[in-house]
Amino acid sequence: MEDSKLLLSCFFACILFSVVNGDNPYRYITWKVTYGDIYPLGVKQQGILINGQFPGPQIDAVTNDNLIISVYNYLNEPFLISWNGVRQWRNSWQDGVSGTNCPIRPGKNLTYILQVKDQIGSFFYFPSLLFHKAAGGYGGIRIWSRPKIPVPYPLPAGDHTVLAGDWYKKPHYVLRRLLDSGVNLPFPDGLIINGRGWNGYKFNVDPGKTYRFRVSNVGIATSINFRIQGHTLKLIEVEGSHTIQNIYTSFDIHLGQSCSFLVTADQAPKDYYVVVSSRFTRRVLTTTAVLHYTNSQQGVSGPVPGAPTVQIGPSLLQAKSIRRNLTASGPRPNPQGSYHYGLITPGRTIMLANSAPYINGKQRYAVNGVSYVQPDTPLKLADYFKIPGVFNLGSIPTSPPSGNNAYFQTSVMAANFREFVEIVFQNWEDTVQSWHMDGYSFFVVGMDGGQWTTASRKGYNLRDTVSRCTVQVYPKSWTAIYVALDNVGMWNIRSENWARQYLGQQFYLRVYSPANSWRDELPIPKNALLCGRARGRHTRPL
């Protein structure tokens, strides 16, 4: 009976999407989420598997494809999947975070119905609840350009996904208990590449050919540096933006970020180290995979190539060197430079400052003095059903308070549809911050040390900066972005450091349109899970 209801819901949802999205293809995916034994650092652990895999299955889609993803939860805990960088156009119902969706209860399922509207590039999915990200459950997302839209480089001979990041030997529920008790996490135990430790993964290449490497930092605590022994990295894409094709010998990738490189197998035929190491940590963690030439008769040898460790300057200069390719087409057949963001005056400035307060004797993290508390009902459902008492607009200020006091609140900031805003992330702490914004790509117009002032705008890049969904803020520094709020919904803005996110360094931006029209936002899905104070309500017919 339950399966029949699911099929019926999918059927009606597909009818709706066929009306809204025309003849764009549908891709049907079924995932079974289970626990299973994994050995990422050589020690047996309980990991989260998708269809028996860690990392989970790759999602491949073409611009504007519709993805119908049925997720079955066989864990003993509630579960949700979110889609890092997929904009969910007019559809925050499918975002898969606690502020938008009820969790999938053990033994139950949820079918996500989403469209990769007007997107290309490299992204990843991850489990968003209960510190599950520390146990796996993540995988890569590749969104390919439509065949008739040219890309600004020759078609590579192959395409490799690199999911790299830090890892803990302790189970995710032990790490969660540490945070719940007010104790910060210890230093990670190591780094992994595609779920494996030192030399545990192999990338095969043919001599003389060029390959695309899509690298994502899927860790929870540290920035990383990526490099390949004896080879250069030609940067071609950052989270959906084609870039000027600068050449690097190593590249910093911060928490939650993704990028693509072209690598040519132009060296002597043998095996080479693919290296990932931690950045801005006193103790440097390093792991390797293997770049294997198919005619190789010699294994990896020599010292692992080094890279910057704690130095901020080289990373800042590298970040400023990333430029948008203005002449290349994006997901549509028009140049990426046709949107002249630098000629638009922002309607207002929002300044966000991170902090690490102790509240009631326990370690918490905050944005503008507010440490986020998860409500008993997802914010999106409370907003749709007009349930009072779940959240208040304006419960987080749009600039940092003058004092050092911090407090708990279910923080939601109000914004209007089609606003064009400037957001400044101000970081007075000694650690690198990484910020993500669901539902959007934004223009990274500037970053520098010290206190941001209006005079800082003189150094903005108003011509060819990249647009992306995750940006770093260096210690005692600031980063500024421009964003056109053209996507109605309830959107999570969060730290990609997962302990900080879990303990309150996040909030929601409610982008509101009074029109109440399907033109601005899709209706609540017929199969939406209802929980908390929304339980027993009825979704409107499709």
Side-chain angles (χ1 to χ4, degrees):
M1 182 67 178
E2 190 170 302
D3 288 342
S4 298
K5 290 180 179 178
L6 172 63
L7 289 171
L8 193 60
S9 296
C10 288
F11 173 73
F12 284 119
C14 289
I15 290 175
L16 168 64
F17 262 64
S18 65
V19 171
V20 174
N21 298 317
D23 296 326
N24 296 308
Y26 288 79
R27 298 180 187 268
Y28 295 88
I29 299 169
T30 299
W31 284 347
K32 294 182 179 180
V33 181
T34 62
Y35 291 123
D37 293 338
I38 58 175
Y39 301 81
L41 294 178
V43 177
K44 180 180 176 179
Q45 293 180 253
Q46 184 187 69
I48 294 177
L49 312 180
I50 298 180
N51 291 353
Q53 301 176 38
F54 168 63
Q58 180 89 38
I59 293 178
D60 279 299
V62 176
T63 301
N64 292 354
D65 278 0
N66 298 294
L67 303 178
I68 314 298
I69 305 174
S70 296
V71 178
Y72 290 80
N73 178 19
Y74 292 102
L75 308 182
N76 59 5
E77 295 183 306
F79 185 80
L80 275 177
I81 288 276
S82 190
W83 323 92
N84 209 76
V86 177
R87 285 200 296 266
Q88 308 290 359
W89 191 253
R90 301 183 299 140
N91 199 18
S92 64
W93 302 107
Q94 308 294 337
D95 202 27
V97 290
S98 63
T100 58
N101 294 86
C102 295
I104 309 169
R105 291 178 292 147
K108 302 298 181 181
N109 71 285
L110 173 65
T111 297
Y112 292 86
I113 304 168
L114 54 97
Q115 186 187 29
V116 290
K117 175 70 174 170
D118 289 341
Q119 282 196 266
I120 58 167
S122 311
F123 310 97
F124 64 92
Y125 60 85
F126 67 96
S128 62
L129 297 183
L130 298 176
F131 226 69
H132 286 153
K133 193 179 179 188
Y138 54 71
I141 301 174
R142 299 185 294 198
I143 306 177
W144 304 82
S145 295
R146 288 185 165 189
K148 293 183 179 180
I149 299 180
V151 294
Y153 46 84
L155 185 66
D159 195 293
H160 295 294
T161 293
V162 183
L163 301 173
D166 50 63
W167 191 261
Y168 289 85
K169 293 179 181 178
K170 287 185 172 63
H172 71 280
Y173 52 85
V174 173
L175 299 176
R176 188 172 74 224
R177 287 173 193 160
L178 287 174
L179 295 172
D180 289 339
S181 68
V183 177
N184 209 341
L185 294 185
F187 192 67
D189 294 302
L191 300 176
I192 59 175
I193 297 173
N194 289 352
R196 300 180 184 181
W198 197 272
N199 286 350
Y201 195 89
K202 183 183 292 184
F203 300 97
N204 293 319
V205 295
D206 290 328
K209 294 185 178 179
T210 297
Y211 294 81
R212 181 172 182 169
F213 282 76
R214 302 174 188 254
V215 189
S216 296
N217 184 343
V218 294
I220 63 174
T222 59
S223 300
I224 59 174
N225 181 273
F226 177 79
R227 54 201 183 273
I228 299 179
Q229 181 186 26
H231 295 72
T232 56
L233 310 172
K234 180 183 287 188
L235 184 68
I236 59 169
E237 176 251 335
V238 171
E239 292 161 20
S241 291
H242 292 304
T243 64
I244 297 296
Q245 295 175 15
N246 294 331
I247 304 294
Y248 302 91
T249 55
S250 70
F251 198 83
D252 289 343
I253 305 168
H254 304 273
L255 287 166
Q257 291 184 341
S258 300
C259 52
S260 289
F261 307 98
L262 292 182
V263 177
T264 300
D266 56 3
Q267 300 300 303
K270 62 172 192 171
D271 291 355
Y272 296 87
Y273 288 115
V274 177
V275 189
V276 171
S277 59
S278 61
R279 280 289 266 130
F280 320 116
T281 58
R282 289 196 182 100
R283 179 160 68 92
V284 178
L285 300 173
T286 302
T287 196
T288 61
V290 176
L291 184 75
H292 172 70
Y293 281 54
T294 52
N295 62 342
S296 168
Q297 301 297 319
Q298 180 182 345
V300 290
S301 60
V304 173
T309 55
V310 297
Q311 305 93 327
I312 298 294
S315 188
L316 177 61
L317 290 174
Q318 186 181 83
K320 290 183 174 182
S321 73
I322 303 172
R323 292 287 188 267
R324 190 178 179 92
N325 186 335
L326 298 182
T327 61
S329 293
R332 294 187 178 189
N334 53 285
Q336 290 186 139
S338 60
Y339 183 80
H340 300 292
Y341 69 94
L343 301 179
I344 305 171
T345 301
R348 60 171 169 150
T349 297
I350 299 170
M351 180 171 285
L352 304 174
N354 49 275
S355 59
Y358 279 79
I359 304 177
N360 299 333
K362 293 184 177 182
Q363 176 71 71
R364 293 288 298 190
Y365 296 97
V367 186
N368 287 358
V370 184
S371 186
Y372 181 81
V373 178
Q374 183 173 317
D376 60 8
T377 306
L379 304 170
K380 185 64 183 169
L381 294 179
D383 198 28
Y384 175 76
F385 289 117
K386 297 180 172 54
I387 302 172
V390 177
F391 71 92
N392 293 310
L393 292 174
S395 47
I396 178 173
T398 57
S399 60
S402 56
N404 295 320
N405 293 331
Y407 57 92
F408 292 121
Q409 185 63 262
T410 301
S411 37
V412 180
M413 187 179 293
N416 293 319
F417 184 41
R418 296 200 176 99
E419 268 192 282
F420 189 80
V421 300
E422 174 186 50
I423 299 178
V424 178
F425 298 101
Q426 181 70 59
N427 177 21
W428 285 118
E429 298 185 65
D430 292 325
T431 56
V432 176
Q433 303 293 311
S434 188
W435 288 90
H436 177 86
M437 185 175 185
D438 280 355
Y440 288 92
S441 289
F442 47 72
F443 295 96
V444 185
V445 292
M447 56 178 65
D448 215 335
Q451 170 72 52
W452 181 91
T453 67
T454 55
S456 303
R457 294 180 180 135
K458 296 177 182 177
Y460 281 6
N461 178 355
L462 298 180
R463 182 176 181 272
D464 62 351
T465 192
V466 290
S467 61
R468 62 187 316 167
C469 59
T470 309
V471 69
Q472 73 273 22
V473 191
Y474 293 101
K476 293 184 168 53
S477 300
W478 57 267
T479 294
I481 67 173
Y482 282 177
V483 56
L485 299 180
D486 55 2
N487 199 6
V488 172
M490 186 75 71
W491 302 110
N492 189 225
I493 298 179
R494 62 176 177 268
S495 172
E496 286 290 316
N497 179 304
W498 223 237
R500 299 183 78 102
Q501 178 271 154
Y502 183 81
L503 292 180
Q505 192 174 316
Q506 61 171 309
F507 69 97
Y508 283 80
L509 187 72
R510 178 186 183 253
V511 180
Y512 176 71
S513 169
N516 193 27
S517 167
W518 287 15
R519 179 194 60 197
D520 297 338
E521 184 176 27
L522 295 177
I524 184 171
K526 189 70 175 176
N527 70 331
L529 302 178
L530 301 181
C531 57
R533 284 180 257 182
R535 187 176 285 112
R537 309 267 178 155
H538 296 284
T539 58
R540 64 187 177 188
L542 292 173

